[in-house]
Amino acid sequence: MSFKSLTMGVPPLTAEMPKPNLQKVLIVGLALGIFVADCLTPLGVGMGSLYILVVVATFPLNHPWTTKIAITGAILLIFLGYWGSISRVGQETAVINRSLSTLCVLITGLMTLKNIYSRQALQTVKEDLEVKYGLQTTELKEQNHTMGILLENMQLIKNDLEDKERRLRVFVDAFPSGMLIVNHLGNVVLANKLIETLFGYSQHELIGQSIDTLVPKRFQEDHARHRMAFLENPSTRAMGVGRDLFARRKDGSEFPVEIGLNPISTPDGFMVLSSVVDISSRKQHEAELKRLNQQLANQNQELEAYNYAVSHDLRTPLRAIHNYADFLLEDLSTKVSSEQTEYLTGITTAVCEAEELVSDLLELSRLHIKDSPQVCHVGTIISKTLFLLNFDKDVEIHTPGEWPTVLGHEYLLKQIFQNLLANGVKFNHSSPKVLKMNWRQEPHGMITFSVEDNGIGISEPYQEKIFQVFERLHTTREYEGTGIGLAIVKNAVNGLGGEIRVKSELGKGSIFSFTVPIGENYDDA
């Protein structure tokens, strides 16, 4: 009987084993049964070798000490069987037989112990592997879970980026001007829909092409040089400031453009965002406006010349009528009736008013000065104006301690101050007649001058009308004049680049104030 055959019935490691206590009882019973059979069997038959079954039966228990006890007990029972046998014949054979049985039991026991130890080692390895496998499985599950979350997040990020890219594309395509993004090599990496309309290229045709494709050939060399200079010193600015820029369409035609450059830093390197605007319509409008302005300037020049000629030529017949009326009054003063004298006096008065009107119109036509503005000393202008006006002694003039210098035309400033001061005295019944002149510096390089009087004042409904030509609030019988003085003032202030306004209340005087660009320094009066 081989060990292999004895172990054929041994259950595998994973099989369900009988209960250990019952198995031990069976092993003890097996040993006792073999012992009884050995005692009843004549010596030399070899019943002792059956104790191998007792040792092998301990193998399923998987307990080395149980096997060792079984080996020791089997050897004792082998020798006890020798002494308890019913026959003692063939003693030498019995001793040999018992010795061989003992040897077989020992060999079987050792092999059984070895298998038990091996199985325990395998079990330990199996448990370790199961633990490690369990840990690895748990780690793999966690990693798989983490990887799944990462994949979901990556998908969300991808979807978000795709959505942002779509929205960016919609925004770029909806931009009111053409948009190009060019890399540091000068190649187009993005173009919007309007670029297709402007240049006639599709977006796919432009992507990857050199930006020089859109530049007329005569400008390409200079454009490459300017582009390299921009890369060395990038900043947000308009391209070609002070120069007319042109772009070239796919069909070779050219059109004027306005281009804005914006440097941007991207993960793919430095790039330039360019906005392109077709200014063909603007150029046409500018050319038409320039033509109309030149036409208007020519017409104004002709009109000024005509006004000056008419005003100058009207003075000759008016002067003749005036002289003839004076001659008649002088020669016929004793020969005509008082009524006729009154008629001749009326003619003289009307002619004087006409001459004054023509003079004022002539002054109004002279206000369109084309010379460059100069630094004017206001104190000197005021002194000359007051000297020419030569007011009566009942007129008081209050001036500040010093006057500024302004940027303008001395002739226009003289007209302004002369008319405002004259009106302040003319439309004034107070005694004394007080005129207060002052000035103050304003922000943005302007100076405000003011002339205040204690005259009759102006009611609010008429405060805007008084600056119109021939607008009078009183008849010539009440106050002499042509009604052009304040129109001259307004035109002169406009010619200096300022504004004029009045603050007045009927019966309480008026304050006329106007602005003029400031000069370089101040001048003492």
Side-chain angles (χ1 to χ4, degrees), residues 396-408:
E396 295 182 6
I397 307 294
H398 299 274
T399 60
E402 64 175 12
W403 288 100
T405 56
V406 297
L407 195 63

Side-chain angles (χ1 to χ4, degrees), residues 312-492:
H312 184 272
D313 292 344
L314 279 175
R315 300 173 92 177
T316 300
L318 289 173
R319 190 176 298 111
I321 294 173
H322 192 179
N323 291 335
Y324 288 140
D326 287 341
F327 293 155
L328 288 174
L329 281 173
E330 184 179 350
D331 294 342
L332 303 176
S333 60
T334 59
K335 300 178 181 180
V336 296
S337 63
S338 58
E339 186 178 359
Q340 291 172 334
T341 301
E342 184 180 351
Y343 292 157
L344 290 174
T345 303
I347 292 173
T348 303
T349 302
V351 170
C352 289
E353 292 177 357
E355 285 181 336
E356 186 179 358
L357 179 60
V358 170
S359 297
D360 287 344
L361 288 173
L362 186 59
E363 291 295 334
L364 187 61
S365 66
R366 289 176 179 173
L367 293 179
H368 301 285
I369 297 177
K370 299 180 178 62
D371 298 335
S372 299
Q374 303 292 329
V375 175
C376 301
H377 299 275
V378 177
T380 303
I381 295 172
I382 296 297
S383 298
K384 291 179 180 180
T385 302
L386 292 175
F387 178 78
L388 291 174
L389 290 173
N390 192 23
F391 290 128
D392 294 335
K393 293 182 179 181
D394 66 335
V395 177
E396 295 182 6
I397 307 294
H398 299 274
T399 60
E402 64 175 12
W403 288 100
T405 56
V406 297
L407 195 63
H409 300 279
E410 184 174 338
Y411 174 75
L412 297 180
L413 288 168
K414 180 182 176 182
Q415 287 292 329
I416 295 169
F417 285 115
Q418 181 176 315
N419 280 279
L420 291 179
L421 291 170
N423 282 353
V425 173
K426 182 194 301 184
F427 300 98
N428 198 327
H429 298 309
S430 301
S431 182
K433 300 175 181 178
V434 181
L435 300 178
K436 296 179 182 179
M437 305 178 67
N438 212 335
W439 65 274
R440 67 177 181 273
Q441 186 173 347
E442 304 286 359
H444 311 298
M446 301 295 285
I447 288 181
T448 296
F449 293 96
S450 63
V451 177
E452 180 179 357
D453 63 62
N454 59 343
I456 62 176
I458 306 167
S459 59
E460 187 174 353
Y462 299 101
Q463 290 179 7
E464 292 296 329
K465 294 183 178 180
I466 58 174
F467 294 106
Q468 300 176 12
V469 179
F470 301 128
E471 280 290 340
R472 296 179 55 91
L473 304 184
H474 310 278
T475 64
T476 55
R477 291 181 180 271
E478 296 175 292
Y479 299 98
E480 61 181 14
T482 60
I484 299 178
L486 289 178
I488 292 175
V489 171
K490 183 176 178 61
N491 285 0

